[in-house]
Every structure is written in C-alpha cells, then in structure tokens.
Amino acid sequence: MWPRVNGLRSMELGTPGPIRARLNALALAGRKTATTGLLAEYAEEGESLEQPGERLALTDDGGESVGVIEITGVEVKPFAEVTWEHAHAEGEGDASLEEWRTGHVGYWARLGTRVEDDTPVVCLAFRLVGHGKAT
C-alpha cells in the first residue's frame, strides 16, 4: 500500500535522490503534467488506479508533502502505444518519443524490470493545485 499524507494517497515521482528532486521541481513549476508507471506495480502494492478528480500528495524523499496534484486523466495501454503528447507532457526534456522510450526502458531496467512494447503502463495526466503540505 502506498503511503498516505493527510488522508491523500501519495505520489512519489521517480526514485529517491536527485531524480525525485528534479521531477518534483518540474511538477511544482507546472512543466511536468504527466507521468507513467507500470501497471504491475499497482497489483504488487494492492492499490487501485487513480481516478480523474482525485487529489494526491506529491512527496519528497522523506515522505513529506511538497505539493498537491489533481488527476485529470488515466489511461492504461501497452508501452508502445504511449503518445508523444503524453511523453512531452512529462516535461523531462526529451526531444522525441524514441528518446523518451529509451530513457524509460533504461530507468525501469535499472530498477530490475524489463519493459517490452506490450508491457502495460499507466499514463497519468495531472495538474498542480497546491504547493507545500497536503491539507
């Protein structure tokens, strides 16, 4: 089960350390309005998919809220079907869909998960609705 912060499910972007700090900064600046996760992680953690309108606490490495996001879209699809529109909305500076795919495959491989074209992923779109602690 994912941690809760003041009654909200938490959203931990990336992995702890510099990656999470960078992704949180992009989200807090409004440049990151999407993220992609592996569907298998939801089952492993016993979590349901996010729903449009749901608010989540964006958390730092210590589990503290740094902002609140609201889910605006949820799509489950094979990795190969992620669109450039979604990848670009992740705001991480990828110059093309191929660059985004290569980066994500490498990221998940470093975490021990092999991602293929047919691997189910969850594409979340969100908007920032508050900075600081979740209330």
Side-chain angles (χ1 to χ4, degrees), residues 63-135:
E64 297 294 320
S65 176
V66 297
V68 176
I69 59 171
E70 181 178 270
I71 300 299
T72 59
V74 180
E75 287 186 282
V76 177
K77 58 179 65 181
F79 180 71
E81 293 180 19
V82 174
T83 65
W84 171 240
E85 178 182 57
H86 177 80
H88 185 66
E90 287 200 9
E92 298 173 29
D94 294 306
S96 68
L97 185 55
E98 185 58 36
E99 184 177 320
W100 178 89
R101 285 184 174 143
T102 299
H104 278 67
V105 166
Y107 169 78
W108 285 315
R110 289 189 297 279
L111 297 177
T113 301
R114 183 181 174 129
V115 172
E116 304 284 345
D117 283 351
D118 63 347
T119 301
V121 295
V122 180
C123 296
L124 297 176
F126 59 84
R127 67 183 184 97
L128 182 68
V129 294
H131 287 81
K133 294 187 176 202
T135 54

Side-chain angles (χ1 to χ4, degrees), residues 11-13 16-17 20-21 24 57-67:
M11 169 65 70
E12 299 175 331
L13 296 173
R20 180 164 301 150
N24 280 349
L58 185 64
T59 58
D60 63 13
D61 289 348
E64 297 294 320
S65 176
V66 297

Side-chain angles (χ1 to χ4, degrees), residues 27-49:
L28 293 171
R31 292 181 44 210
K32 180 173 184 61
T33 59
T35 194
T36 307
L38 298 172
L39 181 61
E41 292 178 348
Y42 287 80
E44 290 168 9
E45 295 290 331
E47 286 290 342
S48 60
L49 292 177

